[in-house]
Amino acid sequence: FFLILCLFVLGVFLTCTHTAKEASKKTKKAKLYVPQIDCDVKAGKIINPEFIAKCPPGCQDVKHRVYGTDIYASFSSVCNAAIHSGVIDNTGGKVLVQKVAGHSGYRGSFSNGVRSLSLPRWRESFLVSEGKPRKGVTYPSTLEYSSSKSTAVKSEPKKPEQDLKGTKSADTANTSEKASDQGHTVRKEHQTTPAPTPATEMATTTRTPTTTTRTEPSTTVPQPTTTPAAPRTTAAPAKTRPGLHRVRDMGQVQAAQGRGQNPAFRGTSTSASNRNILRHNAGKAMEIDSWKPGLSLFDTGKYLNHLVTSLGINCKVDLSFLMDGSWSIGKRRFQLQKRFLGNMAQALGIGSAGPLMGIVQYGDDPSTEFNLKTYTNSKDLRNAIEKIQQKGGLSNVGKALSFVNKNFFLDANGNRGGAPNVVVVMVDGWPTDRVEEASRLARESGINIFFVTVEAAAQSEKQNVIEPNFVDKAVCRTNGFYSINVPSWFSLHKVVQPLVKRVCDTDRLACSKTCLNAADIGFVIDGSSSVGTGNFRTVLQFVANISKEFEISDTDTRIGAVQYTYEQRLEFSFDKYSTKQDVLNAIKRISYWSGGTSTGAAISYASEQLFSKSKPNKRKIMILITDGRSYDDVSVPAMAAHQNGVIAYSVGVAWAAPDELEAIASDPPKEHSFFVDEFDNLYRYVNRLIQNICTEFNSQPRN
């Protein structure tokens, strides 16, 4: 009996062991689903701190830029970085990506057919390795993208910019904006699967103690109060400055009220100095009804703290607000402006690891109220904003922009270098000086400029505006991203959400200098008889292929061209064409000249006719294409061009002399001179030429 019992126990044990092994095998066989990403996806756009992704074939392309070697800036293409590091090749494959801290410098190099670029600093880095899971780490089957990626979903709520157009009351608009945010967050919870690793907490950057988590669809958002504040009946009218005000005709007021408009929001003065309209009679009632701090959703700290988190924004910018302190704004509206700036500080979540904010007030002259390092939390910053006193004076915005460009974004003032520099200009009506040149110089110094204009000039006032369309001239794009117009100071609180999204969208902050938008490029083209008509058209195609890779406009990269034989001819100057298509059409129209080859004289001519007219702070780049030895000396004219700041690239074809190509080229010659045996092979050097231009640009110190 004892023997039978032992055999029974042994049988049960063996059966259990076999079952456990089979279950273990099934568990091991469970495959990880690896999400696929596109070639242009940057590591910084994916929130997950560690993930495995599958890259498609064909990612080895210069347009998918890579910054760094071994450790890459998060602004880099994941797949092209993996090719550069040797983890995969151009056929694609799985890649393991691990996010790490930002670095003070990234070294460019050429590896595995990919040239990576140098970068002085960046806020976040990543490592790439073979796409095999690490022990003990579970990887997401769906990647979580930051807001600019996820907003492409068709069911997204309306764009926040559209809220400016609505006719709802301020309270209704605020409620709908909050509901949109809540819907956005809930949708995002269902769409994404976070990586269940200890680092997941990094992705859930909730700045306030709410119950929001990434795995709970029932995200809670603080609700606005529905108890209306008691109307103010004893509001005293704002003080007036004698001679600066004008009473609106009461008939016009009544007509405006009949159309549902606020008559106090439109200017009627006839000069820039008396724009602060007397609003006591018509505007008093509207001011009492329209501004109820107790009802403003943006005065609730919980909502403002929640704003950046609910939008999924990882924001690190160095931000300066240019505050309008002119007399035209008046005392009451100056207070509304301060409240708006305080709400922006709260919504951004000021901190040393996130956005930093300083304020410059302008009137006749600008002055810094506080710089980037003065306050490192939203509470102290808001308290400081409340204490700001109005300067008065004119609205000299151009002078203020020049001041910020030269004095604000300095290391001594807290500028971090790796964070984008952003300026938001608040303007009541219009400036009393010119802004175009000051704005251009600021942008070319790496500053991204936004304009928030309030109560724009009425039709009858436009004759008094010094610089018509001043906003379009001040910002780098006229597509509306860099400018917001608000009909009145009383609706300014609606701008908080769209402005936070824009200043934090680092991918679209394209106004700062890059290698593609900060140059004056002059092509010096050999039109001698040895080239021939057919080959000359090939040269023009080479010129066009290079040109179309740059961002071309009157405020970005500009293109000019000179053709030469014994003589020289200016085909078109830098200021002739301001769109890419116009430049490409102009290149196509260049007619073949034919003659001798005086390359030295052509370099001197280009220096005088093109580069002497280059804009300040533009990088002057000369690209010379020739097919033979010059009849005159090239070294002296080339040296003179180099000394005047021209970066020279030489491209030789067929019978071009190597010693002359090196003499023409800037140092080091091997990075600035190229040679091809025949014209049909010129196309092979388009990408390399652009890569070298960008590599050199990225190695230069700048903000």
Side-chain angles (χ1 to χ4, degrees):
F1 174 77
F2 180 74
L3 181 61
I4 293 171
L5 181 63
C6 289
L7 290 172
F8 175 75
V9 171
L10 180 62
V12 171
F13 175 75
L14 291 174
T15 302
C16 291
T17 305
H18 177 73
T19 304
K21 284 183 178 179
E22 288 299 316
S24 176
K25 284 180 183 178
K26 287 180 182 177
T27 304
K28 287 180 181 178
K29 286 179 182 177
K31 286 187 177 180
L32 168 70
Y33 175 76
V34 179
Q36 181 156 326
I37 59 175
D38 296 329
C39 296
D40 61 350
V41 170
K42 299 166 186 172
K45 299 305 291 179
I46 299 174
I47 293 175
N48 307 83
E50 183 172 337
F51 58 90
I52 295 175
K54 186 176 182 181
C55 292
C59 291
Q60 186 176 331
D61 193 313
V62 66
K63 68 183 179 182
H64 307 310
R65 293 193 173 82
V66 178
Y67 298 87
T69 301
D70 298 327
I71 297 178
Y72 302 96
S74 63
F75 195 61
S76 307
S77 157
V78 171
C79 296
N80 213 12
I83 296 173
H84 180 270
S85 67
V87 172
I88 61 173
D89 56 24
N90 201 34
T91 60
K94 296 178 185 177
V95 182
L96 170 61
V97 177
Q98 294 171 278
K99 301 281 189 72
V100 294
H103 278 241
S104 58
Y106 298 86
R107 179 178 57 85
S109 65
F110 186 81
S111 177
N112 299 309
V114 176
R115 178 177 288 281
S116 68
L117 307 177
S118 299
L119 194 68
R121 299 179 194 85
W122 196 248
R123 61 180 176 274
E124 185 183 52
S125 311
F126 69 99
L127 304 170
V128 289
S129 56
E130 191 177 352
K132 292 182 178 179
R134 293 194 301 135
K135 254 187 181 180
V137 180
T138 306
Y139 293 91
S141 58
T142 305
L143 298 179
E144 186 171 3
Y145 291 87
S146 60
S147 61
S148 60
K149 182 88 177 177
S150 58
T151 50
V153 179
K154 288 183 180 178
S155 59
E156 278 294 15
K158 66 180 181 179
K159 292 182 181 178
E161 290 88 333
Q162 294 171 341
D163 293 335
L164 299 179
K165 300 176 182 177
T167 57
K168 297 179 182 179
S169 68
D171 303 323
T172 306
N174 282 339
T175 306
S176 67
E177 285 169 7
K178 185 196 72 61
S180 293
D181 284 342
Q182 186 174 8
H184 174 82
T185 306
V186 171
R187 271 188 294 277
K188 194 165 182 177
E189 310 303 335
H190 289 301
Q191 288 169 357
T192 60
T193 305
T197 65
T200 304
E201 292 176 8
M202 294 167 56
T204 313
T205 54
T206 307
R207 301 183 188 278
T208 58
T210 70
T211 58
T212 303
T213 62
R214 292 199 181 278
T215 56
E216 292 292 333
S218 57
T219 303
T220 61
V221 181
Q223 299 293 326
T225 176
T226 55
T227 306
R232 291 177 292 156
T233 57
T234 58
K239 283 186 178 181
T240 64
R241 286 175 58 82
L244 294 182
H245 304 282
R246 184 176 180 180
V247 180
R248 176 184 285 276
D249 178 73
M250 288 307 296
Q252 294 176 353
V253 171
Q254 292 165 358
Q257 288 173 331
R259 293 191 300 270
Q261 297 175 352
N262 186 340
F265 297 164
R266 303 244 339 159
T268 58
S269 57
T270 55
S271 69
S273 62
N274 65 2
R275 291 192 54 261
N276 192 17
I277 306 159
L278 182 62
R279 302 173 182 173
H280 301 165
N281 297 327
K284 185 175 178 181
M286 297 303 296
E287 184 168 321
I288 291 170
D289 292 338
S290 298
W291 185 254
K292 296 177 178 139
L295 290 181
S296 175
L297 195 59
F298 291 95
D299 283 335
T300 62
K302 287 184 179 179
Y303 181 83
L304 290 169
N305 279 333
H306 183 76
L307 180 58
V308 173
T309 303
S310 67
L311 294 173
I313 294 173
N314 178 20
C315 186
K316 184 178 180 182
V317 294
D318 287 345
L319 179 63
S320 171
F321 274 88
L322 291 192
M323 184 181 192
D324 190 341
S326 64
W327 290 128
S328 75
I329 193 175
K331 296 292 183 183
R332 176 61 177 148
R333 284 153 184 77
F334 187 75
Q335 293 300 318
L336 298 181
Q337 182 180 207
K338 290 202 298 184
R339 179 163 291 175
F340 168 74
L341 294 176
N343 289 344
M344 283 296 300
Q346 186 73 25
L348 285 163
I350 300 301
S352 55
L356 293 178
M357 176 175 158
I359 291 181
V360 171
Q361 185 183 170
Y362 70 89
D364 289 333
D365 296 295
S367 61
T368 301
E369 297 291 344
F370 33 83
N371 60 36
L372 294 168
K373 67 179 182 180
T374 309
Y375 301 104
T376 55
N377 66 77
S378 297
K379 182 179 178 181
D380 291 345
L381 182 56
R382 294 188 81 185
N383 292 336
I385 290 170
E386 281 300 313
K387 297 174 184 176
I388 295 176
Q389 299 297 312
Q390 187 175 3
K391 288 171 59 72
L394 300 175
S395 299
N396 289 332
V397 177
K399 185 181 281 190
L401 283 166
S402 296
F403 173 84
V404 168
N405 187 20
K406 295 174 183 174
N407 303 294
F408 189 84
F409 293 106
L410 305 175
D411 292 346
N413 293 335
N415 184 50
R416 291 173 287 183
N421 293 160
V422 178
V423 168
V424 178
V425 185
M426 307 291 298
V427 183
D428 176 59
W430 62 85
T432 52
D433 64 349
R434 295 187 175 275
V435 302
E436 182 177 14
E437 184 68 9
S439 299
R440 180 181 63 78
L441 292 174
R443 291 197 310 272
E444 291 176 356
S445 296
I447 298 172
N448 300 276
I449 298 175
F450 289 81
F451 265 66
V452 177
T453 53
V454 189
E455 300 185 19
Q459 194 63 39
S460 60
E461 296 175 311
K462 289 186 177 179
Q463 60 186 7
N464 302 312
V465 179
I466 292 175
E467 198 170 24
N469 301 320
F470 66 90
V471 173
D472 289 347
K473 294 177 180 178
V475 300
C476 79
R477 300 283 185 277
T478 57
N479 60 6
F481 181 77
Y482 294 94
S483 58
I484 298 176
N485 178 253
V486 189
S488 82
W489 287 95
F490 298 102
S491 55
L492 190 59
H493 59 280
K494 296 181 185 179
V495 176
V496 173
Q497 179 177 331
L499 189 56
V500 166
K501 290 183 71 174
R502 295 185 196 191
V503 300
C504 291
D505 191 349
T506 53
D507 276 354
R508 292 187 67 182
L509 294 182
C511 290
S512 58
K513 287 197 301 183
T514 71
C515 60
L516 300 179
N517 69 7
D520 281 343
I521 301 177
F523 290 94
V524 182
I525 305 167
D526 185 347
S528 61
S529 54
S530 59
V531 174
T533 305
N535 288 334
F536 188 76
R537 304 316 300 174
T538 303
V539 171
L540 294 184
Q541 186 61 56
F542 174 70
V543 171
N545 287 343
I546 293 172
S547 300
K548 70 182 182 182
E549 293 298 319
F550 289 84
E551 297 172 23
I552 296 173
S553 77
D554 56 350
T555 57
D556 293 313
T557 289
R558 304 185 303 169
I559 305 291
V562 166
Q563 185 182 176
Y564 74 94
T565 57
Y566 283 130
E567 300 175 281
Q568 306 83 36
R569 183 168 73 197
L570 180 64
E571 299 293 352
F572 54 90
S573 57
F574 291 135
D575 58 1
K576 181 71 172 177
Y577 303 109
S578 58
T579 70
K580 185 176 294 188
Q581 194 55 54
D582 286 345
V583 167
L584 296 178
N585 290 340
I587 293 170
K588 193 183 295 184
R589 290 195 300 268
I590 295 176
S591 59
Y592 177 47
W593 205 354
S594 188
T597 310
S598 294
T599 307
I603 295 171
S604 298
Y605 180 85
S607 297
E608 295 166 7
Q609 298 299 318
L610 276 180
F611 296 109
S612 66
K613 299 175 175 62
S614 186
K615 286 186 177 181
N617 291 345
K618 287 285 189 185
R619 296 172 73 245
K620 296 181 282 190
I621 297 175
M622 178 177 71
I623 301 175
L624 185 143
I625 307 112
T626 182
D627 80 326
R629 182 174 288 278
S630 177
Y631 294 164
D632 60 356
D633 176 65
V634 298
S635 57
V636 173
M639 189 178 299
H642 299 164
Q643 290 171 349
N644 287 325
V646 176
I647 302 167
Y649 290 85
S650 58
V651 181
V653 188
W655 301 280
D659 59 320
E660 288 187 347
L661 295 177
E662 292 190 4
I664 294 167
S666 296
D667 288 330
K670 67 177 181 178
E671 297 292 332
H672 294 82
S673 62
F674 307 92
F675 179 83
V676 294
D677 54 356
E678 55 185 56
F679 287 94
D680 287 343
N681 290 331
L682 276 171
Y683 75 93
R684 296 180 179 176
Y685 285 87
V686 171
N687 287 343
R688 187 173 169 191
L689 189 58
I690 293 168
Q691 284 179 340
N692 284 16
I693 289 172
C694 286
T695 300
E696 182 176 52
F697 176 84
N698 285 318
S699 68
Q700 303 302 311
R702 66 188 191 283
N703 284 336

